[in-house]
Amino acid sequence: MKKIEAIIQPFKLESVKEALHQINIQGMTVTEVKGFGQQKGMREVYRGMEYQVDFIPKVKIEIVAPDDKVVAIVQAIQEQARTGRIGDGKIFVYPVSEAIRLRTGESGDTAL
């Protein structure tokens, strides 16, 4: 099993969600987050005053999936979240040693 974390632009969430649904990925956790990478924030203008915004709003998607679905999930996220501009985000893939469904006690891939 692997955990896929994707940090993407908020406006890309719906298209990513739909792409994941198309490949039968049914469970995910979505969190609104803030951060910065290469762009190191951005300058905004409000009522004629310019100011620096250090943390950019992003969305973090977390999915735990069997090993055989990881490539398809990463590919779907890449295709839908990429704009080609700085700030598109990142995808991280981590190993997961165990998953347990609390309701039934199932473990491993069946718990997903």
Side-chain angles (χ1 to χ4, degrees):
M1 287 179 289
K2 299 280 194 272
K3 178 179 182 182
I4 299 112
E5 282 186 10
I7 300 172
I8 64 170
Q9 300 272 7
F11 70 92
K12 290 293 194 172
L13 178 60
E14 280 303 313
S15 60
V16 169
K17 184 179 83 169
E18 182 60 33
L20 293 170
H21 180 71
Q22 294 294 321
I23 60 171
N24 295 320
I25 302 303
Q26 298 169 352
M28 72 175 80
T29 301
V30 176
T31 310
E32 292 180 8
V33 296
K34 292 182 180 183
F36 66 89
Q38 286 183 336
Q39 79 267 34
K40 296 180 180 52
M42 63 183 177
R43 292 224 175 271
E44 297 259 337
V45 176
Y46 179 72
R47 294 188 177 185
M49 297 290 295
E50 188 175 291
Y51 61 99
Q52 178 71 25
V53 177
D54 291 328
F55 295 102
I56 309 297
K58 301 287 183 177
V59 172
K60 179 166 71 169
I61 300 168
E62 298 172 272
I63 302 166
V64 177
D67 290 335
D68 62 336
K69 293 189 175 189
V70 171
V71 172
I73 292 169
V74 169
Q75 184 177 2
I77 294 169
Q78 281 181 307
E79 289 173 359
Q80 294 303 313
R82 179 182 291 137
T83 67
R85 296 189 305 262
I86 288 179
D88 276 352
K90 299 257 190 316
I91 299 173
F92 305 99
V93 180
Y94 307 98
V96 174
S97 61
E98 187 65 77
I100 301 165
R101 185 179 308 225
L102 291 174
R103 179 176 51 88
T104 63
E106 295 170 298
S107 64
D109 286 352
T110 58
L112 301 178

